[in-house]
Every structure is written in C-alpha cells, then in structure tokens.
C-alpha cells in the first residue's frame, strides 16, 4: 500500500498534524504504532492535550516549553486509558538505518497487532548513510514502506529537495 506523506517546515506543526491523524484513526478502530525521535513522554502529553481539548472536567493546565497544555486529571487518565490504552504504542528511535528500521518496526507492529505505523519526522528517525542525496534516500524509504505487507504507513519529513 502506498504510504501517506506529510511534508512540513515546522517540526511542531507536522507532529501536530500526525497526532490529529492518530486520534482520528483510533476513533475508526485502528491500532497505531507511533514512531518518533522525540521523548515518548512529550508525545504522550501532546496527545493528551488534543484528546482532552473539549473535555475541561478531565484536565488541568500546565506550562510546557512556554506553551500551556492540558494534562489529564484522574478522570482524564481513566478516559484515555479506556479509549486509547491498547490502541496506541509509542516507539522511540533516532538515527537508524532503513533496513534495520523496517525490520524492527514490522516485528513490533506484528507483536502488538498494529494496523498503522506513523513515523514522525522520518528524516530524524532514520539516517541517510549510503545514499547520495536526500532525494535518493526519500525514494528508497517510500519504496520500502510500500512493499511492507499488511501495514499502512503514514510518515512525515521536514523537506525534500
């Protein structure tokens, strides 16, 4: 299956777009493996903020990196665990080569019965060693993801030359 691509300039905005996709896919009943080079805890907080956006009784506000975000209160954590607990797994990676990454991610996705793999900022998660240009690396990544059976891939990159 052809992977879905998001190209962005700002890492924050691109990640935000992917996190909104995570929430909509989970609501559709999909199981998600979310791959990021960021801290898993930071990604969790951003997901919580989005999930609880319209549920003020389930949240409290904190300041994180000069941005006000919502974190779940006790009621919010129960809601998130019940709704998203088994549907979302976070996988932190940085600087992996393409072949090792594909093998590791497909094994992890199979082990946890995931339907979709979302790669946030693939250009940070994977290294470009062995490729003459970012374009060559990008084409190789797209072809590899397209050839993986039984998984849907969604990924973002910061820019393609």
């Amino acid at each position: 299956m052809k992977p879905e691509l998001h190209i962005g300039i700002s890492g924050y905005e691109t990640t935000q777009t992917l996190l909104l996709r995570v929430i909509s896919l989970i609501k559709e009943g999909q199981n998600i493996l979310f791959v990021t080079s960021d801290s898993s805890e930071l990604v969790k907080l951003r997901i919580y903020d989005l999930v609880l956006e319209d549920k003020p009784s389930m949240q409290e506000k904190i300041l994180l990196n000069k941005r006000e975000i919502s974190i779940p209160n006790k009621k919010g954590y129960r809601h998130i665990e019940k709704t998203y607990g088994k549907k979302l797994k976070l996988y932190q990676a940085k600087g992996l080569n393409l072949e090792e990454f594909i093998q590791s991610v497909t094994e992890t996705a199979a082990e946890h019965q995931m339907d979709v793999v979302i790669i946030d900022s693939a250009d940070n998660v994977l290294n470009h060693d062995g490729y003459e240009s970012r374009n060559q690396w990008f084409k190789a990544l797209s072809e590899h993801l397209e050839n993986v059976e039984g998984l849907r891939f969604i990924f973002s990159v910061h820019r393609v030359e």
Side-chain angles (χ1 to χ4, degrees), residues 87-144:
K87 299 253 176 226
L88 176 66
K89 296 287 180 216
L90 298 176
Y91 181 101
Q92 190 174 1
K94 190 169 182 103
L96 299 176
N97 80 38
L98 191 53
E99 289 76 20
E100 286 174 339
F101 172 74
I102 298 294
Q103 181 181 348
S104 176
V105 162
T106 52
E107 287 172 2
T108 302
E111 178 185 334
H112 295 286
Q113 300 174 334
M114 300 287 119
D115 305 304
V116 181
V117 175
I118 297 181
I119 308 166
D120 179 31
S121 302
D123 36 0
N124 290 338
V125 169
L126 301 166
N127 70 42
H128 312 119
D129 297 346
Y131 297 96
E132 291 176 20
S133 68
R134 281 179 54 88
N135 265 357
Q136 189 185 55
W137 167 82
F138 178 76
K139 287 177 186 165
L141 172 63
S142 297
E143 288 170 9
H144 272 78

Side-chain angles (χ1 to χ4, degrees), residues 54-97:
D54 59 348
K55 295 175 178 50
S57 69
M58 294 185 183
Q59 60 182 302
E60 54 191 73
K61 301 279 187 193
I62 64 165
L63 230 82
L64 180 70
N65 296 337
K66 299 179 187 172
R67 293 176 195 222
E68 189 178 78
I69 68 162
S70 300
I71 61 169
N73 58 23
K74 207 175 215 177
K75 188 176 172 184
Y77 274 115
R78 281 195 304 268
H79 168 73
I80 288 168
E81 187 55 35
K82 183 178 158 195
T83 311
Y84 299 91
K86 292 179 176 60
K87 299 253 176 226
L88 176 66
K89 296 287 180 216
L90 298 176
Y91 181 101
Q92 190 174 1
K94 190 169 182 103
L96 299 176
N97 80 38

Side-chain angles (χ1 to χ4, degrees), residues 19-38:
L19 293 177
L20 290 169
R21 291 286 289 133
V22 164
I23 292 167
S24 68
L25 288 166
I26 287 174
K27 286 179 180 174
E28 292 171 16
Q30 301 289 304
N31 295 322
I32 312 292
L33 180 64
F34 190 86
V35 182
T36 181
S37 63
D38 290 334

Side-chain angles (χ1 to χ4, degrees), residues 5 7-8 123 134-135 137-139 157-161:
L5 168 66
I7 299 174
D123 36 0
R134 281 179 54 88
N135 265 357
W137 167 82
F138 178 76
K139 287 177 186 165
V157 293
H158 288 120
R159 64 194 173 282
V160 178
E161 289 137 14

